Amino acid sequence: PNYTSVWVSGQQQCVLGQVYLAGTDGSAQAPLVTDLLITDSVAVLQRGRSVLGGSGPQARITMTLPVMTGAGRPGVLSPGQLVQVGTWRGVVRSVAVNATLPTVEQTISVERHFPYP
């Protein structure tokens, strides 16, 4: 879903906050999140970011690249690594390496988020 805001509450502490996605009116609300670990406004913000970061338009893109080694070259990419492809950025979610000498290639899965319309 394209959530643009979420209310986050502590379960035993009197902490409650609404986190908005920047540049939106916050009208598309995610379900209320209640958690024992929410004890401060900083925790509210971080938990809200986590919920909103998982929403919205996104895609998993698979691509095959050569393994480039040497100065200034990335080598084999790692899961969790940020990559830039053209004008967009994404997070590497999986890597598989295939070596058929003399060629070594890696197939990566990249999670990409699209801007809200």
Side-chain angles (χ1 to χ4, degrees), residues 1 8-9 12 14 27 32-34 43 47-49 51 55 60-61 63 76 87 90 100 104 107 109:
V8 180
S9 172
Q12 295 181 345
C14 294
S27 61
L32 171 71
V33 174
T34 305
R47 184 62 190 270
R49 285 180 176 171
V51 170
S55 70
R60 287 252 176 143
I61 299 168
M63 58 185 83
V76 176
T87 59
T100 308
V104 181
T107 301
S109 175

Side-chain angles (χ1 to χ4, degrees), residues 14-105:
C14 294
V15 179
L16 175 68
Q18 187 175 22
V19 180
Y20 290 88
L21 188 62
T24 68
D25 63 357
S27 61
Q29 292 188 357
L32 171 71
V33 174
T34 305
D35 195 314
L36 279 169
L37 298 176
I38 304 298
T39 59
D40 189 83
S41 60
V42 175
V44 168
L45 181 60
Q46 293 301 318
R47 184 62 190 270
R49 285 180 176 171
S50 173
V51 170
L52 296 177
S55 70
Q58 47 191 289
R60 287 252 176 143
I61 299 168
T62 302
M63 58 185 83
T64 301
L65 311 165
V67 175
M68 297 179 291
T69 58
R73 296 190 174 182
V76 176
L77 300 175
S78 302
Q81 187 174 352
L82 294 175
V83 295
Q84 182 162 343
V85 180
T87 59
W88 57 270
R89 294 184 182 118
V91 178
V92 176
R93 291 299 181 193
S94 67
V95 179
V97 177
N98 180 20
T100 308
L101 295 177
T103 305
V104 181
E105 295 180 327

